[in-house]
Amino acid sequence: MKCKMIGNAFACWFIWFVPFVCRYRDKHSLETCYEPLFFFRKHPAVEFHHPIDAPDSMFDRVILTEWAKPAMRGVLETISSHHSANLELTEFSLKDLKIFCNYQTPEFKPRFKLVCGTRNATCEGMRMNYIQAGQIFKEIVNASLGTPSSWDILIEDFQDLLQMLENPILEEAYLMRNHPALLALKLHSHFFMACYETLMRASLQSVFEVFKMLPYGMNDSSGHWKVRLEQHPYLWWMLHSQFTSYGDRNSEQCRYRRNYSCHKIHHLTKRTERFKWYSANDVDMLLYQYLPMSLPGLMRAMWDEGLLALFCLRLDELFTKWTGHISWWQVKHPFLVIDECDKLSLNCLVIVFLLLTIHMFSLEYISLKRFRWSRWVRVGLVL
């Protein structure tokens, strides 16, 4: 009975007092709308990246920034969701793209929104939506680069996505909106392991066909995967200085990547001392720049063999995976946030409430005369 009374008192206090001290607001309420050209001059969507400790500039690349990947995928997701509802977007271009961003949040997460109309979908109209999205992405890269010559070193997987959008196949909309070029770098290992574990459950015939279609094979014009990896000291060490050896076949490429994904950081020894400052992000970036078409090639091969549908592999869930911390008050109010100052005020009020609860508990025992005066009751009265 007493516990129920205290619980009811706390619930009443929380309902009536918290709204006055906690300024709840929607997480998008402080976003500002920006024009594309102005925004990309200040915040480029692509950046030049030289591999850490690379001996030359052979694998220097212009890559998408981490914030641009989900923003671009949001455009493709918007198009796909309208097509699912038998609608298509009217003609749009870069001037119809609006960028919403809130600089006060801890993470820099701009969002792209298309401002255009809709109409009943046709096959040609849906294809044009993807073509126009590809044109917008190219203009974003142009606005961010400033120098046309940088297109020559644009990362290969993003070039592959742009080529798919130039001549879109509607049946492959899943591949376009879930292209690995738009996947966060920290999720590359998760993406590969999801594909690899699915591949290990497939029939041998399907597995051999997938291996045959992987990039960086024996006759690939881009170079053999082992030759490319041997150009960097860390990748060479992972290839030759471990307890296992690798052959030249494409199946060995997958096995190497599997071991690489599971053993990014090693214990410090004389051999690994030169790599002690490498973070997991550095290791992922190295493999990404030296084998940029590895994930798109694997996904395409598994798609052609029907393995993604056969095993219901939902790779799109990785793109929407959120690894942030969820506070206890956001469980029932996920779109509300509380400032740090508000948290401090809330904590102070919780302490005051607990003190008042102890005081009320002490008074109840005094009134009923069930217990003698004790030191604990006197402390409660003082509080």
Side-chain angles (χ1 to χ4, degrees):
M1 188 67 181
K2 300 179 183 65
C3 295
K4 184 176 181 180
M5 181 192 71
I6 294 174
N8 291 336
F10 180 79
C12 293
W13 170 84
F14 191 84
I15 292 172
W16 289 101
F17 286 91
V18 170
F20 293 102
V21 297
C22 297
R23 297 185 299 275
Y24 287 153
R25 65 170 184 270
D26 185 89
K27 65 179 181 180
H28 297 315
S29 62
L30 297 181
E31 289 183 338
T32 304
C33 180
Y34 297 92
E35 293 299 323
L37 294 179
F38 169 81
F39 187 85
F40 294 126
R41 289 193 191 102
K42 190 174 182 180
H43 304 285
V46 294
E47 59 186 2
F48 174 82
H49 198 276
H50 175 73
I52 182 173
D53 292 337
D56 50 44
S57 60
M58 183 182 302
F59 294 95
D60 290 356
R61 293 292 184 269
V62 171
I63 62 176
L64 285 177
T65 57
E66 289 302 301
W67 67 260
K69 294 177 181 179
M72 289 184 174
R73 185 182 182 274
V75 174
L76 298 179
E77 186 67 28
T78 298
I79 294 173
S80 177
S81 61
H82 279 77
H83 292 178
S84 299
N86 200 29
L87 294 172
E88 66 181 49
L89 303 180
T90 57
E91 186 174 347
F92 58 87
S93 61
L94 185 62
K95 64 180 178 61
D96 299 310
L97 183 71
K98 302 300 178 183
I99 302 170
F100 292 86
C101 181
N102 179 10
Y103 287 102
Q104 297 184 16
T105 56
E107 293 182 288
F108 185 67
K109 289 185 176 180
R111 297 183 300 126
F112 295 169
K113 284 189 176 182
L114 291 172
V115 182
C116 60
T118 60
R119 59 194 175 202
N120 292 332
T122 62
C123 290
E124 185 59 30
M126 290 190 290
R127 290 187 70 257
M128 282 303 301
N129 284 167
Y130 286 110
I131 293 174
Q132 290 162 0
Q135 293 171 348
I136 285 181
F137 293 167
K138 289 181 180 179
E139 293 181 40
I140 289 175
V141 173
N142 280 328
S144 302
L145 286 176
T147 55
S149 59
S150 298
W151 272 95
D152 298 335
I153 57 173
L154 184 66
I155 195 75
E156 288 86 341
D157 63 342
F158 188 59
Q159 291 187 37
D160 180 66
L161 174 61
L162 294 178
Q163 291 175 2
M164 292 180 68
L165 293 174
E166 281 183 6
N167 188 23
I169 301 174
L170 296 180
E171 290 75 13
E172 296 180 354
Y174 179 89
L175 294 180
M176 289 186 284
R177 74 172 184 273
N178 296 315
H179 198 283
L182 304 179
L183 181 67
L185 181 66
K186 62 183 178 181
L187 294 178
H188 279 199
S189 295
H190 299 278
F191 187 98
F192 172 78
M193 290 305 298
C195 292
Y196 185 79
E197 291 173 1
T198 299
L199 196 60
M200 293 300 100
R201 292 185 291 153
S203 65
L204 286 178
Q205 180 63 31
S206 297
V207 172
F208 290 147
E209 290 298 323
V210 169
F211 287 156
K212 194 183 303 182
M213 290 185 282
L214 291 181
Y216 309 117
M218 295 297 295
N219 299 318
D220 196 317
S221 59
S222 300
H224 191 262
W225 65 275
K226 291 182 70 174
V227 175
R228 294 174 69 95
L229 294 179
E230 287 171 347
Q231 306 303 311
H232 192 277
Y234 180 80
L235 300 177
W236 184 95
W237 175 77
M238 288 288 291
L239 190 63
H240 296 292
S241 300
Q242 299 298 299
F243 295 107
T244 182
S245 59
Y246 299 96
D248 295 331
R249 296 176 300 175
N250 267 351
S251 59
E252 295 292 276
Q253 179 187 166
C254 282
R255 191 166 70 91
Y256 171 86
R257 179 142 198 163
R258 181 263 174 200
N259 294 335
Y260 189 93
S261 300
C262 297
H263 307 285
K264 298 178 185 178
I265 307 300
H266 299 270
H267 295 293
L268 189 61
T269 64
K270 289 184 178 179
R271 291 185 175 182
T272 61
E273 187 175 2
R274 60 184 300 189
F275 310 124
K276 64 181 179 181
W277 302 115
Y278 285 16
S279 65
N281 186 77
D282 294 331
V283 173
D284 284 333
M285 182 61 76
L286 278 176
L287 193 59
Y288 175 48
Q289 290 193 243
Y290 278 77
L291 298 178
M293 284 300 296
S294 177
L295 292 184
L298 178 59
M299 187 178 182
R300 162 64 72 175
M302 295 181 68
W303 172 270
D304 290 344
E305 282 299 305
L307 297 181
L308 300 186
L310 178 62
F311 291 98
C312 300
L313 187 58
R314 297 299 304 273
L315 295 175
D316 53 329
E317 293 179 357
L318 283 174
F319 290 86
T320 57
K321 185 177 182 181
W322 186 67
T323 57
H325 172 68
I326 301 178
S327 302
W328 63 270
W329 58 76
Q330 291 178 295
V331 174
K332 291 188 177 180
H333 303 281
F335 299 103
L336 300 179
V337 295
I338 299 180
D339 291 338
E340 292 298 327
C341 295
D342 296 335
K343 292 179 184 178
L344 180 60
S345 301
L346 180 60
N347 291 335
C348 292
L349 282 177
V350 168
I351 293 173
V352 171
F353 174 77
L354 291 176
L355 294 175
L356 289 175
T357 302
I358 294 173
H359 182 64
M360 292 170 58
F361 194 81
S362 302
L363 289 177
E364 182 183 0
Y365 275 97
I366 294 172
S367 62
L368 294 177
K369 298 181 180 180
R370 292 182 179 177
F371 294 93
R372 294 181 305 173
W373 286 89
S374 64
R375 185 179 180 183
W376 181 86
V377 173
R378 287 196 295 271
V379 171
L381 287 174
V382 171
L383 294 176

